[in-house]
Amino acid sequence: MDYTSIGITVLWTFLFLYIIVASIDFGAGFFTLHSKLTGEEKKINHLVERYLNPVWEVTNVFFVFFFVGFVGFFPDSALYLGTVLLVPGSIALILISVRGSFYAFEHYGQDTKLPWIFLYGLTGLLIPASLATVLTISEGGYITEHGSHLDLDWLQLLLSPYAWAVVFLAIVSVLYISSGFLTYYASKAKDKVAYHFMRQWFMFWGPPMIIISLFVFLSLRIQNSDHFYNAVTNYWWMFAISFVFFLIAGVLNLMKKYHGLAFIMVILQMGFAFYGYGLSKLPYLLYPYIKLSDSSVNDSMGLALVIVFVLGLLLLIPSLILLLRLFVFDKEYVEGKK
């Protein structure tokens, strides 16, 4: 049995769950900052706080599981993760630490100062941008080898249309996912002011996300033609289904009905696109240096890793659902009565 394929599928699921849960958090930071700067903080801040208070502490667990598991299955990847990806990864960790500091001050401080809200909103956009850079680098063309020494060509990365397209797609996707969830959350809370505010943002970010997604595909043809042709030839149907779910979510939002179902459509939309991207990328994980077949773990270790990460997935998902049911979606809690 190919334990590596099973393991990378589980790890990809961890990464997808992190993207969904973290996007809600990251986007909420932008909306909080925007409302503060425009003097409309009373519209959504209370709604954002009710969601974030019980959830923010578990968000990064999915992210940690992914990278620990990736190095576990591909020990040689530590060379690349520790050198070439050190700078973007370190930037992301610093931004996550700054964001964690905001939560501490917001929880235990007397009031929330504008500089902290500014950092909270800014990191919500910069963290996905920095993490998306890692996926960009994995497409190849940015790493140069000098014997056993690896270098990242920063000039080429900064001038790459594909790199910037992925960064903008990451930011817009975060705002789209977050506004979709907060629209549903506001409707469930029967908060009409916050509902109309978030619904407008949800309608606004949908079209730009699709346009930027198309530009990412076009620029991928130049950056990594093998990946592009594999995606459009063998996995086009996954992206087509993703677009159908996008249309359904948009129609439901226009109808002002079934916002919970609309957000499920958003999750399915992102899921089909994300797994389509991952499948079309195979067998390369870091082009052209790391392939799926390069895993050096034996069958016994592979089985042990798969069991551990499957159990971790089975533990985290029910825990998150329980957390949401006990707090976030509790009728009295969501309506601000407790």
Side-chain angles (χ1 to χ4, degrees):
M1 183 178 292
D2 189 357
Y3 295 115
T4 303
S5 297
I6 299 173
I8 203 66
T9 301
V10 175
L11 294 177
W12 201 245
T13 302
F14 271 114
L15 186 58
F16 173 68
L17 292 173
Y18 173 75
I19 289 174
I20 296 297
V21 177
S23 291
I24 299 172
D25 180 3
F26 295 153
F30 168 81
F31 298 126
T32 299
L33 175 61
H34 178 273
S35 63
K36 181 71 174 179
L37 295 177
T38 57
E40 299 177 314
E41 63 266 28
K42 292 183 179 179
K43 289 185 176 182
I44 66 162
N45 281 13
H46 56 287
L47 187 80
V48 170
E49 289 172 3
R50 285 203 297 270
Y51 169 75
L52 292 180
N53 281 343
V55 174
W56 70 270
E57 295 182 25
V58 301
T59 300
N60 293 321
V61 176
F62 294 99
F63 186 63
V64 172
F65 259 96
F66 172 77
F67 273 101
V68 170
F70 189 83
V71 174
F73 277 103
F74 303 94
D76 293 340
S77 66
L79 172 64
Y80 300 93
L81 296 175
T83 54
V84 174
L85 304 181
L86 177 63
V87 174
S90 298
I91 292 173
L93 288 176
I94 292 172
L95 293 172
I96 291 173
S97 299
V98 171
R99 197 172 183 82
S101 300
F102 165 82
Y103 290 127
F105 278 92
E106 198 275 336
H107 265 288
Y108 302 114
Q110 295 297 320
D111 57 352
T112 303
K113 303 296 184 181
L114 180 60
W116 279 110
I117 294 180
F118 181 79
L119 289 174
Y120 176 57
L122 189 63
T123 55
L125 301 181
L126 294 179
I127 291 173
S130 59
L131 294 178
T133 303
V134 177
L135 290 178
T136 302
I137 296 171
S138 72
E139 292 296 340
Y142 303 106
I143 299 175
T144 56
E145 282 188 296
H146 305 284
S148 59
H149 183 67
L150 300 172
D151 282 320
L152 182 62
D153 191 339
W154 282 100
L155 181 61
Q156 185 175 354
L157 181 65
L158 292 174
L159 297 178
S160 170
Y162 176 73
W164 285 107
V166 172
V167 166
F168 285 121
L169 177 60
I171 293 173
V172 173
S173 296
V174 160
L175 298 175
Y176 172 73
I177 294 170
S178 183
S179 60
F181 175 83
L182 292 175
T183 299
Y184 161 60
Y185 198 51
S187 68
K188 190 174 181 64
K190 300 178 182 179
D191 189 333
K192 293 183 179 180
V193 176
Y195 168 73
H196 290 298
F197 183 82
M198 295 312 310
R199 179 176 171 272
Q200 290 176 350
W201 278 115
F202 186 41
M203 294 175 63
F204 176 81
W205 288 116
M209 186 192 62
I210 296 299
I211 294 172
I212 296 175
S213 297
L214 292 175
F215 188 76
V216 168
F217 256 104
L218 293 175
S219 55
L220 179 61
R221 182 179 181 181
I222 300 173
Q223 187 64 38
N224 189 335
S225 59
D226 291 340
H227 186 182
F228 172 81
Y229 286 114
N230 190 29
V232 298
T233 302
N234 299 317
Y235 298 99
W236 62 268
W237 57 274
M238 297 189 74
F239 299 102
I241 293 175
S242 174
F243 183 68
V244 170
F245 284 127
F246 165 77
L247 293 177
I248 295 174
V251 170
L252 291 174
N253 190 47
L254 287 173
M255 294 171 58
K256 300 182 180 180
K257 293 182 178 180
Y258 310 114
H259 292 290
L261 179 61
F263 185 66
I264 292 175
M265 295 298 104
V266 169
I267 294 175
L268 292 174
Q269 169 200 339
M270 303 305 295
F272 272 92
F274 188 69
Y275 281 91
Y277 167 82
L279 288 170
S280 61
K281 188 180 179 67
L282 296 177
Y284 292 101
L285 302 176
L286 178 61
Y287 187 90
Y289 302 102
I290 302 177
K291 298 172 67 175
L292 190 63
S293 58
D294 291 339
S295 176
S296 58
V297 298
N298 54 44
D299 288 345
S300 299
M301 180 60 72
L303 177 59
L305 288 173
V306 167
I307 292 174
V308 168
F309 290 118
V310 168
L311 289 176
L313 194 63
L314 294 177
L315 176 64
L316 281 175
I317 292 178
S319 299
L320 183 61
I321 293 174
L322 181 62
L323 184 68
L324 293 175
R325 292 192 64 179
L326 288 177
F327 296 99
V328 179
F329 293 131
D330 178 76
K331 187 178 188 313
E332 293 186 358
Y333 181 84
V334 74
E335 294 179 1
K337 296 178 181 178
K338 69 175 183 180

